[in-house]
Amino acid sequence: MSQQDTIITVRSPRVIDKILARHFDERGHFWLIPEGDEDFQIAVQMVSNDPENRRFLIDQPKEAPLNHLKASGRIRVQAVIDQLVSWFYVDHLKEKIEGTDRYFEVPYPAQIDRLQRRNVFRVRIPPDVIGVVEFFQPTTSTLLVGRLDDLSAGGCAIALRPEQAVGLEQGVQLSPVKLAIDGFADLSVSLVIRNQRIVSPGEWIFGAEFVDLGPIESQQLDRTVMRLQRYLM
């Protein structure tokens, strides 16, 4: 395991309190992932925090994923906090009902594990959502527009026509790049081309990694990935 992949375990109640408080202040989300069923991942929002009683509330997902969670055993509760993938486990999700609103009440954990690399969740752009990437072609400075194929908090896949792909070799950095997803996100980023694959004679896909992200852009990307994931459920 490289230094980049080091897992840090936090057991100090004071530190855990601060981690969860920051996440609530940022209107954070959590991923709920049943143990042994990692292909199922549903995003829910942290809707309240009670540090005095060391518990917080998260909203409940729609009926189908909700029933799946209720039938599951141990649940991994995961989020990107301070740009680190952070998680803990609960044996079951306790329902809390307030009038017509239904939540899950989650006690503060005894420990939180934190991975020293960025979130790797990747979501495809829905077919009914327009996602585009605008950038200047590196050799001619011509403004090009590609289709956004998928997105994660750490990178994206860009679909281009072959004639648009001139100069996009592995390692080429593009900046600024406008990333726009209709109804979800509109921000400027820098990225590096990491790989390329030809899916058809008329379309090439380029895998790219975001670089030099500021905290605002990182939070926007995290939230966009979660919103898209929920949109697809």
Side-chain angles (χ1 to χ4, degrees), residues 1 19 36 41 45 49 63 127 131 156 187 208 210 219:
M1 180 179 292
I19 290 172
Q41 301 167 356
Q45 187 167 10
N49 186 36
E63 183 176 359
C156 64
L187 66 159
F210 299 130
Q219 290 172 17

Side-chain angles (χ1 to χ4, degrees), residues 36 72 102 117 129 132-133 158 165 179 191 196 210 219 228:
S72 301
R102 293 176 176 266
R117 62 182 172 86
V129 174
V132 297
V133 179
I158 308 166
L179 189 152
L191 55 79
Q196 167 197 330
F210 299 130
Q219 290 172 17
L228 286 168

Side-chain angles (χ1 to χ4, degrees), residues 159-177:
L160 297 168
R161 299 189 306 276
E163 62 269 22
Q164 295 177 299
V166 177
L168 296 186
E169 292 86 6
Q170 182 176 345
V172 168
Q173 180 166 336
L174 301 176
S175 181
V177 175

Side-chain angles (χ1 to χ4, degrees), residues 62-97:
K62 296 178 182 178
E63 183 176 359
L66 175 62
N67 292 336
H68 187 85
L69 286 171
K70 288 182 176 180
S72 301
R74 195 168 181 236
I75 302 291
R76 176 169 166 146
V77 183
Q78 181 165 302
V80 177
I81 309 175
D82 307 323
Q83 300 187 30
L84 297 178
V85 180
S86 307
W87 70 90
F88 60 90
Y89 291 89
V90 294
D91 291 329
H92 68 278
L93 292 167
K94 179 183 177 181
E95 286 194 274
K96 184 177 179 64
I97 301 174

